[in-house]
Amino acid sequence: MENRSEQEIIYGRRPVVEALRSGVPLQRIYVLKQAVGVPKEVFSLAREGGVAVVHCDRERLDFLSHRGNHQGVVASRAARNFNTLEEILAKCEHSPQPPLLLVLDEIQDPGNFGALLRTAEGGGVTGVIVTSASSCSLTAAVTRSSAGADQYMLVARVPKLGPVLRKLKEMGFAVIGADSNTDYDYTQADYRGASVIVMGAEGRGLRPSVKELCTRLVKIPMLGKVESLNVSVAGGIMVYEAVRQRRN
């Protein structure tokens, strides 16, 4: 279960609707399974704002709300709002050098997310794009893990990666995905032009549907007995390979 101390909780049907209407940054909304009378606005406003809705049992809602009168609806607040994809694309358009984007496919651990944001900020990444479903949000734990670097990064949350990656490819971006099941070394990819680095979820890696949209899949050689690196370490290696190539 979630650690309540890491979250600010809003509960009750009307308070959650008002939070959505007023633009309060929300991480996730939890709705009681088969609940009757939940306002349709909860779902429509969440969809518009890219906030994931999770259906769960009463025990989980009672835990999150400290057994308050949640009426079957609980929301966890995020540390800050996400940016829009349009903001990131506008920054790409006006970038003095070829833009570099980092796309995170369902990264769930706040420590990994924060570390990746810290690396992205240090490596001059133009913007970070994450999925809205099954992904970590911009929580206080992420801010701590990023050492505050998240406050300087443009981070957009999108419902689906497919349309975004297709659009970026149409715009001329090279989409480079990290995948251990390839013979192509990460140093062999060309990051000097407009590029997207795509990292997959902890343990599982990139989903097949995302792999299909990459223009190149690359791997980081593993010389020891473990099969893969932590995603934040792997992401850092690839971001700084782009930095190295662009400085030479």
Side-chain angles (χ1 to χ4, degrees):
M1 284 190 176
E2 293 81 359
N3 184 346
R4 291 173 298 194
S5 65
E6 294 291 349
Q7 307 180 60
E8 179 180 339
I9 295 298
I10 302 169
Y11 60 86
R13 294 173 180 179
R14 186 48 50 189
V16 171
V17 167
E18 293 303 327
L20 285 163
R21 283 178 174 174
S22 62
V24 170
L26 297 180
Q27 174 185 1
R28 194 164 281 117
I29 297 173
Y30 303 86
V31 176
L32 181 65
K33 292 178 182 177
Q34 299 177 336
V36 177
V38 176
K40 292 182 179 179
E41 285 177 288
V42 170
F43 302 99
S44 61
L45 291 172
R47 187 165 53 251
E48 290 174 14
V51 182
V53 176
V54 178
H55 293 271
C56 56
D57 57 28
R58 185 172 298 277
E59 181 183 5
R60 192 176 189 187
L61 295 178
D62 289 344
F63 171 82
L64 290 169
S65 65
H66 295 265
R67 297 196 174 277
N69 183 23
H70 52 69
Q71 301 174 301
V73 183
V74 174
S76 57
R77 184 166 179 162
R80 53 159 278 202
N81 277 314
F82 282 92
N83 301 100
T84 65
L85 177 63
E86 288 69 28
E87 287 178 290
I88 290 180
L89 295 180
K91 187 177 180 182
C92 290
E93 185 178 350
H94 296 97
S95 176
Q97 62 178 355
L100 175 64
L101 300 179
L102 179 62
V103 170
L104 306 178
D105 182 22
E106 298 187 351
I107 300 297
Q108 298 179 347
D109 182 81
N112 286 333
F113 189 21
L116 284 161
L117 291 178
R118 186 174 184 176
T119 297
E121 201 282 327
V125 169
T126 313
V128 178
I129 300 170
V130 303
T131 49
S132 58
S134 302
S135 293
C136 183
S137 190
L138 290 167
T139 63
V142 170
T143 296
R144 287 197 299 275
S145 297
S146 72
D150 62 313
Q151 302 299 313
Y152 300 102
M153 283 300 307
L154 292 181
V155 186
R157 182 167 60 181
V158 298
K160 294 182 179 180
L161 283 183
V164 175
L165 293 179
R166 290 188 189 95
K167 180 179 180 68
L168 291 171
K169 288 169 70 174
E170 290 172 1
M171 293 172 62
F173 281 80
V175 180
I176 304 164
D179 181 40
S180 59
N181 297 315
T182 179
D183 294 327
Y184 209 77
D185 192 278
Y186 77 103
T187 60
Q188 294 176 282
D190 188 349
Y191 306 82
R192 291 171 296 176
S195 304
V196 183
I197 294 173
V198 190
M199 306 301 300
E202 299 91 343
R204 187 185 65 195
L206 292 178
R207 290 173 292 159
S209 59
V210 175
K211 288 183 186 181
E212 291 175 0
L213 293 171
C214 294
T215 53
R216 175 69 67 184
L217 294 173
V218 300
K219 70 175 181 180
I220 298 171
M222 299 300 297
L223 306 180
K225 295 181 179 180
V226 297
E227 294 182 356
S228 63
L229 295 171
N230 174 279
V231 65
S232 65
V233 174
I237 289 172
M238 291 183 63
V239 166
Y240 272 87
E241 173 61 17
V243 172
R244 185 192 68 80
Q245 290 189 13
R246 289 166 179 229
R247 294 185 67 180
N248 289 341

